[in-house]
Amino acid sequence: MIRLEYLLPLWAIIPLFGAMLTVCAVLLIRRPRQRIPWLRRTLMVVLLLVVALRPVTPMETEQTERMNANVFFVVDRTGSMNAEDLGDGQPRLDGVKADMERIMGMTEGARYSIIAFDSSATQQLPLTTDAGAVGAWIDTLETEPTAYSQGSNVDRPLQTLQSELVAAHQEDPDSHRLVYFLSDGENTDEQESESFSAVGGYVDGGAVLGYGTPEGGPMKAQGGSTDGEYILDGNGQQGISMIDQDQLQTIADEMGVPYLHRTDPEEPMEGTMEGITLRPVPTESERSVASFTDWYWIASIPLALLMIWELGELTYRLPRKLDRYDIRGAQR
């Protein structure tokens, strides 16, 4: 059964399209020599009206049920995460992507939030049950452009993480809060990192996941004229980034979660959910999700073709009109 989901309020659609159709009808009658152009424009208005009315077919609504967990991903996007010392010379970021997908599989039905940090920290995704949005973010994950790097520190996301954990505790006190901190632990701003102890009381589980090797690996530049080329140090040699496991272990201890050195995405993540049992939230918290199959795109195809036709006609007629005006002006 088809129904309408208006793209504009009905009170705006009626006068707007009523006026356009009236103008087209009047000019269609009063300008018989231009009947084809005005028939075309009338049809364009009708097709645009169909798009504005947005015909849809409602899909079967379903109850969504989420689990009693809020999962916070804190993701290092600094240039060193491009270092190629994971497994068989893969970039560290490949391990981050694989581990994030693994964690989502372990916590299916939870709410997820993503905080990313490089030269600064930003919340990339607020708490959501939309696993598709999280997956899309993972698929497009890259490090910051090399040219924009201004030095990094693992404490960059601390304030954002603390704010989000406090808000989640107040809004959803009965759900577990899991934090997964994914980084190589390397500081390049030569500053001491702030303590993560302040967030420890809000963390029920998770882990600090470390990427890289003590020997380190070379890094490729991201973006700009040197995109894909290996970064060089001050001596003209390949720059080498090394994991700082002491730093990562300190963060783990301060948050009260285990530290795991990740060298293979297939390795299990043991101990990250000790004492945590995921259960569905109470049924009164469930919500219905309305889904539709859109049909307005069918009208948009001929509309686009008619617009191309109209643009071609204008492009053809305008120079001829200008030429006639020039001739008349010259005759005067």
Side-chain angles (χ1 to χ4, degrees), residues 139-294:
D139 289 340
T140 58
L141 173 59
E142 294 181 338
T143 60
E144 69 174 334
T146 305
Y148 297 156
S149 178
Q150 299 175 359
S152 61
N153 194 301
V154 291
D155 66 7
R156 290 279 163 80
L158 177 57
Q159 297 303 318
T160 304
L161 175 62
Q162 184 173 358
S163 298
E164 293 305 309
L165 286 170
V166 170
H169 171 68
Q170 294 173 344
E171 174 210 345
D172 191 16
D174 296 327
S175 291
H176 301 292
R177 291 170 296 280
L178 309 176
V179 176
Y180 289 91
F181 190 99
L182 304 95
S183 173
D184 56 23
E186 187 177 42
N187 287 345
T188 60
D189 65 356
E190 300 181 355
Q191 302 292 323
E192 290 291 327
S193 300
E194 293 186 36
S195 172
F196 279 72
S197 299
V199 304
Y202 297 98
V203 178
D204 300 314
V208 172
L209 306 178
Y211 302 86
T213 62
E215 298 76 25
M219 304 158 283
K220 288 182 179 178
Q222 177 71 38
S225 60
T226 60
D227 182 56
E229 299 179 9
Y230 284 104
I231 297 174
L232 304 180
D233 60 21
N235 298 319
Q237 303 297 315
Q238 283 187 354
I240 300 296
S241 170
M242 295 170 285
I243 189 173
D244 188 339
Q245 296 200 76
D246 291 339
Q247 181 83 270
L248 295 172
Q249 184 66 63
T250 297
I251 296 173
D253 292 341
E254 291 169 347
M255 288 201 300
V257 297
Y259 165 64
L260 302 177
H261 184 205
R262 305 294 293 165
T263 58
D264 183 350
E266 298 302 320
E267 290 177 341
M269 291 187 187
E270 298 178 353
T272 70
M273 297 177 64
E274 287 287 338
I276 294 177
T277 302
L278 299 186
R279 298 186 179 90
V281 296
T283 55
E284 60 266 22
S285 298
E286 295 178 2
R287 57 187 177 88
S288 294
V289 176
S291 301
F292 306 101
T293 299
D294 280 298

Side-chain angles (χ1 to χ4, degrees), residues 9 31-32 43 76-77 122-123 147 161 165 177 185 196 216 231 318:
R31 298 186 177 180
L43 183 55
D76 187 344
R77 291 196 314 186
T122 57
Q123 183 187 44
L161 175 62
L165 286 170
R177 291 170 296 280
F196 279 72
I231 297 174
L318 184 59

Side-chain angles (χ1 to χ4, degrees), residues 78-100:
T78 57
S80 61
M81 295 301 287
N82 275 334
E84 298 173 343
D85 59 350
L86 179 74
D88 297 326
Q90 296 172 282
R92 297 169 183 171
L93 218 55
D94 287 358
V96 170
K97 294 179 180 182
D99 283 346
M100 290 181 72

Side-chain angles (χ1 to χ4, degrees), residues 18-65:
M20 288 194 290
L21 287 172
T22 300
V23 170
C24 288
V26 170
L27 293 174
L28 184 62
I29 296 171
R30 298 187 61 179
R31 298 186 177 180
R33 297 179 62 182
Q34 298 180 10
R35 186 157 294 163
I36 291 179
W38 283 106
L39 277 172
R40 180 174 66 243
R41 290 160 193 161
T42 302
L43 183 55
M44 288 169 62
V45 173
V46 172
L47 291 170
L48 188 59
L49 175 60
V50 173
V51 172
L53 292 175
R54 191 191 174 194
V56 300
T57 302
M59 297 174 65
E60 187 175 334
T61 58
E62 55 185 30
Q63 291 293 106
T64 60
E65 184 178 68

